[in-house]
Amino acid sequence: MKKIAGFFFQKPLDLNQKKSFEIHLPTDTLYNGNKPVLESNRQILCEISKRYDYPEDSLHSFFVITEIGEVD
């Protein structure tokens, strides 16, 4: 299980409106070279949408990851 933390943004992109996120994903395939980056990004956005109750299409595809690690 991976813990991913960072900041996400809603559409339209306004860098002054960043929101923090921390999600847990049951995968070790994020950004490992075996899966396209866009697929990893989509998986993260989907989980942010579920966890923080935002429609997925309201989230901007730009987000910032500050931490990727194992869940304690």
Side-chain angles (χ1 to χ4, degrees):
M1 182 81 69
K2 293 287 185 189
K3 175 175 85 170
I4 299 118
F7 302 99
F8 71 96
F9 304 88
Q10 289 186 269
K11 293 177 185 173
L13 181 60
D14 180 350
L15 296 177
N16 294 316
Q17 298 298 316
K18 68 182 179 183
K19 296 173 175 49
S20 298
F21 75 88
E22 182 178 307
I23 58 172
H24 297 164
L25 289 175
T27 183
D28 289 328
T29 62
L30 289 174
Y31 306 115
N32 72 354
N34 294 329
K35 187 186 237 185
V37 170
L38 291 176
E39 194 173 327
S40 292
N41 288 354
R42 175 151 164 44
Q43 191 175 2
I44 290 170
L45 286 172
C46 182
E47 193 61 30
I48 290 170
S49 171
K50 288 182 210 172
R51 169 114 192 236
Y52 296 100
D53 200 27
Y54 287 99
E56 195 171 341
D57 63 353
S58 76
L59 300 178
H60 199 281
S61 61
F62 175 76
F63 58 89
V64 177
I65 295 174
T66 56
E67 178 184 354
I68 297 178
E70 296 298 323
V71 173
D72 297 331

